[in-house]
């Protein structure tokens, strides 16, 4: 209001005042009753009355939302509750886009994938008690994948602890170690008991987010503290520059010495995703063969003549053929932990001269293969390669080699029903991978092996799988975070078991997120079913009642198509890509096609394990083994 009303003859002063005070105004002392407002008609100046009203004080919830926005957080995913009402309200009214999910685990998976799609830290919010425990699997995956995610949770206020409060969250009901303290799950965790802690806490968050690699934090805020006033506190400047870890010159010189001694291979992992250009330069400069982990697909173009194949789960036989027929002297390992899904710890992957292993985490090199000679380099991959490229000479003796490439088997004509997974993957390659710029995510299980083995990517950061945790539901819900953060299509290739376990179709519909689900519907947990059959273990039931996922999706407001014949696949994929709303394709898949896990078979065979020979065996037996 800018006009002063003077004199008792001013028309309907009270009515004008009533209209101009918003219903959610913080000026609570202004009477709301119209009859009371009539008494203001004789007041000569109303404006000073409003201007003298003090601005509402900043409370802890609002300060937290403001600080998170200053840290670069764009999205918050979660499920609200009474214990965090104030925090929920503050986030909802901040510049952060808040998305209300149906389950906290799905929210955490979406936050993880939003980080990888955007490079900006994400927030997960939960209420007390089960809200926190529901989110832990997704946060476990965030830590394992190397994401930057902050959990905001509510907990029971100090005076009510130990008194059986609703969803009590305290040391009486939950172990504080690991959930409310730093450790294996959280890089940083703290319970905020006072507004005075905020400057220190957010400075630590800023420093943690600026460091290379992942960072998963937990701020637990008691209900009573959320509304406490922030007084006489100067909130910190959170503009902290990111800094790469660079290798010492001695490490670069030693690397040059080792790699110049003979032909070497390059083993690319997910940690090298920001160094795609440098890896290609190094390969073409030296003629090195390039292999990659499942999470590393696309960092080095899979259509490049020097690309030998994917290792590990869903990998290619061409990798083992290369190691047997043209073994390198050494392997330069870039940003992969060489864990079981990447290497199966196979001795066939060990070159005679050992590894030069580069990682930002000094605890990674040499652990997966503890008995192999390993030269360890702690460094950001991109910075390391830039230094290496300046002084590493060309290795002409490797350029004449003809390297094996991943096999592409011809698909034989069939009866058209049900859909063979390899036919589906060929259509996805054509319509989704080559015909769009969509991110593609594959769920754990046979969806993982079929996608990793058969799809080919020529660009980094377009394919996502989870190997460390491999939780069912990760891709089903994470696809929302990826599509939201990129503001473009993201595709989840998922199994029916995962889709039943944890989907967020209605969330995608609510916020019109352009997610696409391609469901491999075989009425089984098929990796389990096929694995147990190959291992000769009978009696275990891995079947699922047949489910009409297209009907479920339509019931939640999404568009959907059912594909039962191979001749209908491409049309359904094109329809999904063209759709402006969330879309699900329910594919009736042939359940008896064996998933491509040949490399796993060879690994188990190398360990002395044979199918149907598991009784009275002291050797570990597991699947995927088909």
């Amino acid at each position: 209001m800018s006009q002063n009303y003077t004199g008792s003859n001013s028309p309907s002063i009270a009515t004008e005042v009533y209209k101009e005070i918003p219903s959610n105004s913080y000026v609570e002392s202004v009477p709301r009753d119209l009859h009371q407002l009539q008494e203001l008609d004789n007041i000569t100046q109303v404006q000073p009355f409003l201007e003298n009203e003090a601005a509402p004080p900043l409370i802890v919830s609002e300060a937290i939302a403001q600080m998170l926005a200053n840290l670069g957080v764009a999205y918050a995913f979660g499920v609200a509750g009474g214990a965090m009402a104030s925090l929920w309200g503050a986030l909802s009214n901040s510049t952060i886009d808040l998305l209300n999910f149906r389950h906290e685990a799905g929210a955490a998976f979406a936050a993880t994938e939003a980080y990888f799609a955007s490079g900006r830290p994400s927030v997960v919010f939960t209420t007390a008690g089960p809200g926190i425990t529901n989110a832990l699997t997704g946060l476990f995956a965030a830590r394992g994948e190397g994401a930057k995610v902050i959990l905001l949770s509510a907990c029971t206020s100090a005076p009510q602890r130990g008194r059986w409060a609703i969803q009590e969250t305290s040391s009486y009901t939950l172990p504080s170690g690991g959930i409310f303290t730093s450790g294996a799950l959280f890089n940083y965790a703290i319970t905020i008991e006072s507004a005075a802690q905020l400057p220190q806490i957010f400075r630590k968050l800023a420093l943690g987010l600026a460091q290379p690699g992942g960072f998963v934090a937990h701020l637990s805020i008691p209900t009573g503290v959320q509304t406490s006033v922030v007084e006489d506190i100067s909130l910190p400047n959170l503009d902290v520059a990111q800094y790469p870890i660079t290798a010492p010159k001695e490490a670069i010189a030693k690397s040059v010495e080792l790699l110049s001694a003979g032909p070497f291979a390059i083993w690319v992992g997910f940690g090298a995703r920001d160094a795609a250009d440098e890896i290609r330069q190094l390969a073409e400069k030296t003629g090195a063969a390039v292999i990659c982990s499942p999470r590393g697909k696309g960092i080095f173009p899979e259509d490049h003549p020097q690309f030998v194949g994917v290792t590990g789960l869903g990998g290619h036989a061409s990798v083992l053929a290369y190691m047997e027929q043209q073994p390198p002297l050494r392997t330069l390992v870039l940003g992969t932990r060489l864990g079981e899904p990447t290497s199966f710890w196979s001795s066939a992957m060990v070159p005679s001269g050992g590894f030069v292993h580069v990682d930002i985490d000094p605890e990674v090199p040499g652990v997966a293969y503890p008995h192999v000679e390993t030269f360890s380099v702690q460094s950001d991959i991109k910075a390391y390669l830039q230094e290496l490229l300046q002084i590493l000479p060309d290795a002409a003796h490797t350029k004449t080699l003809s390297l094996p490439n991943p096999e592409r088997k011809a698909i034989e004509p069939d009866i058209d029903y049900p859909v063979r997974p390899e036919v589906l993957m060929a259509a996805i390659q054509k319509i989704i991978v080559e015909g769009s710029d969509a991110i593609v995510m594959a769920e754990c299980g046979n969806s993982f092996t079929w996608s990793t083995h058969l799809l080919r990517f020529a660009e980094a950061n377009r394919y996502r799988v989870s190997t460390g945790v491999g939780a069912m539901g990760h891709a089903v819900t994470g696809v929302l975070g990826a599509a939201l953060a990129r503001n473009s299509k993201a595709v989840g290739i998922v199994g029916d078991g995962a889709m039943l376990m944890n989907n967020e179709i209605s969330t995608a519909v609510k916020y019109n997120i352009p997610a696409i689900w391609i469901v491999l519907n075989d009425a089984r947990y098929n990796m389990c079913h096929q694995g147990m059959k190959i291992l000769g273990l009978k009696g275990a039931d891995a079947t699922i009642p047949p489910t009409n996922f297209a009907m479920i999706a339509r019931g939640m407001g999404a568009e959907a198509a059912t594909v039962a014949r191979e001749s209908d696949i491409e049309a359904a994929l094109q329809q999904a890509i063209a759709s402006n709303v969330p879309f699900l394709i329910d594919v009736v898949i042939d359940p008896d096609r064996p998933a491509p896990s040949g490399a796993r078979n060879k690994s188990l065979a190398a360990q002395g394990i044979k199918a149907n020979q598991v009784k009275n065996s002291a050797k570990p037996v597991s699947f995927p083994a088909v």
Side-chain angles (χ1 to χ4, degrees):
M1 295 171 60
S2 59
Q3 184 178 359
N4 289 335
Y5 295 94
T6 305
S8 59
N9 293 326
S10 300
S12 190
I13 298 174
T15 303
E16 295 300 321
V17 173
Y18 184 73
K19 286 181 179 178
E20 295 198 34
I21 299 175
S23 60
N24 63 345
S25 172
Y26 288 107
V27 187
E28 297 297 339
S29 59
V30 176
R32 288 282 186 253
D33 187 273
L34 191 57
H35 295 292
Q36 289 178 296
L37 282 169
Q38 295 294 338
E39 298 177 7
L40 294 175
D41 283 344
N42 293 325
I43 298 176
T44 58
Q45 289 189 344
V46 177
Q47 183 70 10
F49 172 77
L50 294 174
E51 288 179 345
N52 291 337
E53 209 48 47
L58 187 71
I59 61 173
V60 166
S61 297
E62 295 165 339
I64 290 172
Q66 178 183 324
M67 289 290 96
L68 289 169
N70 291 345
L71 287 170
V73 171
Y75 301 105
F77 308 84
V79 181
M84 51 93 66
S86 177
L87 187 60
W88 184 30
L91 289 171
S92 299
N93 290 289
S94 71
T95 59
I96 298 170
D97 286 341
L98 182 141
L99 293 94
N100 293 290
F101 267 55
R102 307 294 168 257
H103 194 276
E104 293 86 352
F109 291 133
T112 298
E113 295 309 319
Y115 166 73
F116 288 123
S118 68
R120 300 178 65 174
S122 298
V123 158
V124 177
F125 62 89
T126 77
T127 193
I132 298 171
T133 56
N134 283 347
L136 292 182
T137 299
L139 294 165
F140 180 36
R143 180 72 183 266
E145 295 293 305
K148 291 182 176 176
V149 174
I150 301 168
L151 169 65
L152 301 181
S153 74
C155 69
T156 305
S157 299
Q160 283 76 47
R161 293 171 194 165
R163 299 173 60 194
W164 303 286
I166 294 175
Q167 296 180 332
E168 178 168 338
T169 302
S170 70
S171 58
Y172 292 96
T173 59
L174 288 173
S176 59
I179 297 179
F180 301 99
T181 59
S182 304
L185 181 55
F186 295 108
N187 299 95
Y188 175 68
I190 193 169
T191 299
I192 302 176
E193 301 287 8
S194 168
Q197 296 174 267
L198 292 180
Q200 178 194 37
I201 289 170
F202 276 92
R203 188 65 180 174
K204 287 187 175 181
L205 286 179
L207 292 170
L209 292 171
Q211 69 186 13
F215 182 77
V216 180
H218 181 195
L219 304 186
S220 177
I221 309 103
T223 302
V225 174
Q226 294 174 33
T227 53
S228 61
V229 176
V230 178
E231 296 184 46
D232 301 324
I233 296 175
S234 177
L235 297 178
N237 178 9
L238 301 178
D239 186 13
V240 178
Q242 294 191 1
Y243 52 91
I245 296 175
T246 57
K249 292 188 180 300
E250 296 80 7
I252 299 294
K254 183 66 174 178
S255 298
V256 170
E257 176 189 337
L258 294 174
L259 298 176
S260 299
F264 67 92
I266 304 172
W267 200 340
V268 179
F270 187 61
R273 62 191 179 278
D274 295 327
D277 290 343
E278 288 78 8
I279 293 170
R280 182 165 184 161
Q281 290 176 45
L282 178 64
E284 293 177 348
K285 178 182 176 70
T286 62
V290 181
I291 58 180
C292 74
S293 70
R295 290 203 301 162
K297 278 175 69 71
I299 296 173
F300 187 82
E302 292 188 87
D303 57 359
H304 195 286
Q306 288 172 245
F307 181 71
V308 171
V310 179
T311 65
L313 186 58
H316 300 120
S318 51
V319 174
L320 291 177
Y322 164 72
M323 295 300 296
E324 292 169 359
Q325 298 166 14
Q326 304 175 36
L329 176 63
R330 289 186 174 85
T331 296
L332 175 62
V333 181
L334 301 174
T336 169
R337 294 168 291 202
L338 299 183
E340 185 177 13
T342 294
S343 71
F344 296 125
W345 308 305
S346 170
S347 60
M349 296 302 298
V350 179
S352 59
F355 299 124
V356 176
H357 197 153
V358 187
D359 204 284
I360 57 171
D361 186 348
E363 297 183 3
V364 166
V367 173
Y369 286 93
H371 305 298
V372 175
E373 182 178 345
T374 300
F375 177 64
S376 173
V377 181
Q378 184 186 11
S379 178
D380 171 79
I381 306 296
K382 190 180 187 74
Y384 170 85
L385 290 175
Q386 288 173 343
E387 292 285 336
L388 188 69
L389 283 166
Q390 292 183 21
I391 56 177
L392 186 69
D394 293 350
H397 58 277
T398 63
K399 293 184 178 180
T400 58
L401 295 178
S402 178
L403 298 169
N405 304 119
E407 62 278 8
R408 288 183 180 270
K409 295 181 180 179
I411 300 175
E412 299 295 331
D414 204 80
I415 60 173
D416 199 34
Y417 171 88
V419 175
R420 289 168 291 172
E422 54 268 48
V423 176
L424 174 62
M425 292 300 149
I428 292 173
Q429 179 72 36
K430 176 182 176 181
I431 306 299
I432 305 294
V433 179
E434 298 172 8
S436 80
D437 64 350
I439 285 179
V440 178
M441 304 178 62
E443 192 67 75
C444 66
N446 281 0
S447 302
F448 180 116
T449 55
W450 284 114
S451 301
T452 300
H453 189 78
L454 294 177
L455 298 182
R456 302 285 190 271
F457 292 87
E459 305 165 85
N461 302 315
R462 280 199 63 196
Y463 184 66
R464 280 284 299 134
V465 290
S466 171
T467 55
V469 175
M472 291 178 66
H474 187 135
V476 167
T477 54
V479 69
L480 273 71
L484 180 72
R486 292 182 81 235
N487 193 29
S488 62
K489 297 285 185 179
V491 178
I493 303 173
V494 305
D496 47 356
M499 201 71 198
L500 286 169
M501 182 178 290
N502 188 9
N503 77 72
E504 295 280 347
I505 297 173
S506 63
T507 306
V509 170
K510 176 181 174 68
Y511 298 106
N512 198 30
I513 298 173
I516 297 173
W517 296 270
I518 301 173
V519 184
L520 278 61
N521 192 348
D522 51 21
R524 293 176 182 173
Y525 293 106
N526 212 8
M527 178 173 278
C528 299
H529 179 92
Q530 292 181 345
M532 296 297 276
K533 182 178 179 180
I534 291 295
L535 292 173
L537 301 174
K538 300 179 180 179
D541 182 9
T543 60
I544 303 171
T547 304
N548 189 330
F549 289 100
M551 181 180 292
I552 293 172
R554 293 190 193 103
M556 291 184 176
E559 291 185 351
T562 298
V563 173
R565 297 191 176 278
E566 293 176 352
S567 53
D568 295 331
I569 299 173
E570 289 193 13
L573 291 172
Q574 290 168 339
Q575 185 183 358
I577 284 292
S579 175
N580 294 320
V581 299
F583 201 102
L584 182 144
I585 304 176
D586 188 358
V587 184
V588 180
I589 211 80
D590 184 346
D592 297 322
R593 303 293 289 189
S597 299
R600 173 65 164 168
N601 277 343
K602 290 190 176 183
S603 173
L604 290 175
Q607 298 175 49
I609 301 170
K610 296 181 180 179
N612 301 314
Q613 290 184 356
V614 299
K615 292 183 179 180
N616 303 317
S617 174
K619 295 183 180 295
V621 178
S622 64
F623 53 78
V626 293

